[in-house]
Amino acid sequence: MLCDYFSRVYTASNLIVAAAGNIEHGRLRELIERAFSGVPGNGAGGRGPALESGLVYVRNKDLEQSHICMGVGAYRQNHEERYAALVFNTLLGGSMSSRLFQNVREKRGLAYSWAAG
């Protein structure tokens, strides 16, 4: 299912290549064409999630930590609402500076804590 998704979505029409600095446009174009010549040209685009919704995967390990990872379909890179989605992601736990992470770790001491025995 994942391989099928990659073959449909990771196509030349969905690629963006950015370069900055002292570059020669012609030379850069040659390098890009050579590097990505095998990438299919057309695709379905990023329509829908990579995996079916409602899929839950649980992996138990003998650790004193718990990790929760969630993923959902999101806006395309050029969608006008993408910045609002990035803010929402940060609020919900998109990084260590998220409000969720700060609350769990800093205010409640539930993450990265150690109790002397």
Side-chain angles (χ1 to χ4, degrees):
M1 188 168 50
L2 186 59
C3 290
D4 177 58
Y5 175 80
F6 270 79
S7 66
R8 285 185 297 107
V9 176
Y10 285 74
T11 62
S13 60
N14 289 333
L15 277 175
I16 296 173
V17 177
N22 185 17
I23 60 170
E24 296 177 29
H25 179 76
R27 178 69 177 134
L28 178 63
R29 186 178 178 103
E30 289 173 14
L31 292 171
I32 292 169
E33 286 175 352
R34 189 176 336 140
F36 295 99
S37 63
V39 176
N42 296 317
R47 298 183 186 129
L51 301 172
E52 61 188 71
S53 62
L55 181 66
V56 176
Y57 177 74
V58 177
R59 181 177 173 193
N60 293 313
K61 295 176 79 176
D62 188 23
L63 299 173
E64 293 183 10
Q65 300 178 3
S66 295
H67 299 264
I68 300 172
C69 299
M70 298 183 301
V72 297
Y75 295 121
R76 290 173 163 250
Q77 288 290 329
N78 61 351
H79 194 281
E80 63 184 33
E81 295 294 327
R82 70 187 181 280
Y83 297 113
L86 289 171
V87 170
F88 189 63
N89 182 56
T90 301
L91 292 173
L92 289 179
S95 69
M96 288 177 45
S97 62
S98 72
R99 290 185 184 174
L100 176 63
F101 186 84
Q102 292 293 321
N103 196 324
V104 168
R105 180 179 180 189
E106 307 297 330
K107 290 183 181 176
R108 299 175 189 246
L110 298 174
Y112 296 43
S113 64
W114 178 78

